[in-house]
Amino acid sequence: QVQLVESGGGLVQAGDSLSLSCVASVSMFSMYAMAWFPQAPGKEREFVAAISPSGRNTDYANSVKGRFTISRENAKNTMYLQMDSLKPEDTGVYYCAADPSAFAHVVRINYNYWGQGTQVTVFS
C-alpha cells in the first residue's frame, strides 16, 4: 500500500514563492517515479512536473518551465516542488503522484498512486 501525504500549500500573492513536499510511506522509494499534478477549480488534473526514480531526469509543463523546480530526497522518502514567481493561474489543489518503475532515469507519464492534495491559492 502506497500512501502519499502532501504539505506546504497556502495563500500567497502573485510573484511569491511556495515549497510543497510529498512524503511517501513506501519501501524502496528510490524505485518510484514521482510527479505533481494540480487541479484548478472546475478543471481536470493536469501535469506540471515529474522526476525519475533516481532524480537524474525531470520534465515540466511549458507553463511552469523556469518557475517551478521538482526534486527528491530518496533517503527521506520525500519529493519537493519549489514554486517561484507564482501566478493566479497556478491556483489549484496540488496532488502528488507515484508509480513504481524499473527504469531509474526515466520520467513516467502515467501514475497509479495519488495523495489527498494540498491547496495553493495565488491572488493578484
Side-chain angles (χ1 to χ4, degrees), residues 65-121:
K65 283 182 180 177
R67 300 190 299 121
F68 289 11
T69 304
I70 189 171
S71 62
R72 64 190 295 162
E73 287 188 80
N74 286 346
K76 294 184 178 181
N77 279 28
T78 304
M79 174 182 64
Y80 306 97
L81 185 67
Q82 176 64 38
M83 304 186 294
D84 298 320
S85 301
L86 281 162
K87 303 176 180 179
E89 50 263 43
D90 295 321
T91 293
V93 178
Y94 279 67
Y95 294 93
C96 167
D99 211 69
S101 173
F103 305 100
H105 307 308
V106 175
V107 175
R108 287 186 65 90
I109 297 175
N110 298 311
Y111 298 84
N112 288 306
Y113 300 100
W114 299 86
Q116 294 301 305
T118 184
Q119 177 71 46
V120 172
T121 304

Side-chain angles (χ1 to χ4, degrees), residues 23-91:
V23 178
S25 298
V26 64
S27 60
M28 303 298 288
F29 176 72
S30 60
M31 295 185 68
Y32 282 76
M34 305 288 293
W36 289 97
F37 286 76
Q39 185 169 17
K43 295 186 178 181
E44 294 187 356
R45 233 173 263 185
E46 63 177 16
F47 163 81
V48 291
I51 189 166
S52 62
S54 66
R56 176 183 294 184
N57 292 315
T58 59
D59 192 20
Y60 297 92
N62 289 335
S63 61
V64 305
K65 283 182 180 177
R67 300 190 299 121
F68 289 11
T69 304
I70 189 171
S71 62
R72 64 190 295 162
E73 287 188 80
N74 286 346
K76 294 184 178 181
N77 279 28
T78 304
M79 174 182 64
Y80 306 97
L81 185 67
Q82 176 64 38
M83 304 186 294
D84 298 320
S85 301
L86 281 162
K87 303 176 180 179
E89 50 263 43
D90 295 321
T91 293

Side-chain angles (χ1 to χ4, degrees), residues 10-22:
L11 175 66
V12 295
Q13 194 168 16
D16 286 350
S17 299
L18 272 178
S19 182
L20 306 183
S21 299
C22 172

